[in-house]
Amino acid sequence: MTVELILVKEHNGVQFTTSTLVSPRETWGKKIDFLLSVIGFAVDLANVWRFPYLCYKNGGGAFLVPYLFFMVIAGMPLFYMELALGQYNREGAAGVWKICPIFKGVGFTVILISLYVGFYYNVIIAWALFYLFSSFTGELPWVHCNNTWNSPNCSDLWAFNNSLNDTHKSTPAAEYFERGVLHLQDSEGIADLGLPRWQLTSCLAVVIVVLYFSLWKGVKTSGKVVWITATMPYVVLTVLLLRGVTLPGAMDGIKAYLSVDFLRLCEPQVWIDAATQICFSLGVGFGVLIAFSSYNKFSNNCYRDAIITSSINSLTSFFSGFVIFSFLGYMSHKHSVPLDKVATDGPGLVFIIYPEAIATLPGSSVWAVIFFIMLLTLGIDSAMGGMESVITGLMDEFKFLHKHRELFTLFIVVSTFLISLFCVTNGGIYVFTLLDHFAAGTSILFGVLIEAIGIAWFYGVDRFSDDIEEMIGQRPGLYWRLCWKFVSPCFLLRLAYAITPEHEHHLVDNGEVRRFTVSCSSLFT
């Protein structure tokens, strides 16, 4: 549908009339579609495998003090800023910079980052799908050491209580992931990748097909998919928690998760971990929030949306900690080892430690299916957000693509699939780690910094506040304006140096900040 836009201008008493045909921008079918899409994107795998471990490592409940502090002074203001920016300008990450064209390069930067994050993020979802298929069996394949992929170093964890302390031994679950799924033993390094493995390639293809049919018609289709993908994790987390708290040792794990040690707040690393977690857990800087909000109605209350969705994201992280540590406490109790021997973060938690715990339960296959369905839904809607950022951003910049949304979406997802094939070879984990290490570290931080400076100092906080008042009828308070102009940019500028040792500060200038990345190398040591 198109509408005729008529512009009337008067010059020296003479009126000039021009008209043009414009297509009205698509909007979300329902307000809840937008909220679920934002929540689904922001709440991803890191909420399960990262935050609970940081909380446990950094003083338990005391960690919430710096976490909430940085949430209020930086996380929410930046989240609010991106939602308002996209909604007012009704463009993707590059198009919004018509307000200050010199910063358009920042828009293309975040689009590019979202694109190549998809090259490896979809592989994680493919791993989860592979595990899901493997769970439909009477006995889970990571229980014993009598499989074709096992090495002589494999020791049955259930009968070998000290194996976690033995550097020469590996557990059945660890070998299943490293040798049965990734086939690391068949590669000598990144120079010896080999061909894509058909099992993982098939799983990756399924993921790509799901993404395509979720995105091909725009927010009208993706807004319906998130009703499942954004809500299912909460159902599964609740079910797992109800099962977890009944296990022996579960309460010990939860107590360790919540134990308050305020003395830890005197350590700079605790505050640094909290700042880093906030910066990356909300998903600012990927262009996704801008893209999603650009499909809102102009008068939508983006201020309320920012408060609701960012709060739900943090509460989900906190809630997932109870689920994770109830099972870690159970593992600690069952094998008579200290909790810190089983507590970990990253992919090792969800693909090694947690499957080990599930394998010991009655009806373990059922619990494994439930758990990996949760991982799939956590990953799918986050991947949808990243792809939508790319599609919307480029379509809004190159208007002719609007007529070919289905074909352009197909081009993006197929291109992503072809490049992701490098990550499902025998040596694919080396490519995966390389992408993970360099994809969204300092680059995202720098992008958000320039974005905040562009809005606050070049476009102007006052003008930006006028835009928000025009949309929602309420001008942002002094607090928000101060955060946008001073606090948030300073927070972003200092964070890169704050998390890097002084003798490595030159690495920041070269775009490498090691503590921004979730390295997979720890899985293989």
Side-chain angles (χ1 to χ4, degrees), residues 497-510:
Y497 285 91
I499 67 172
T500 306
E502 290 183 359
H503 68 277
E504 293 183 4
H505 277 182
H506 67 283
L507 297 177
V508 178
D509 300 325
N510 295 330

Side-chain angles (χ1 to χ4, degrees), residues 127-143 176 203 206 358 363-374 376:
W127 292 345
L129 185 60
F130 185 93
Y131 269 80
L132 177 63
F133 290 148
S134 301
S135 301
F136 289 99
T137 180
E139 183 179 68
L140 295 174
W142 55 83
V143 173
Y176 178 73
C203 291
V206 171
I358 289 175
S364 57
S365 295
V366 175
W367 292 109
V369 168
I370 292 174
F371 176 71
F372 289 111
I373 286 177
M374 180 190 72
L376 279 174

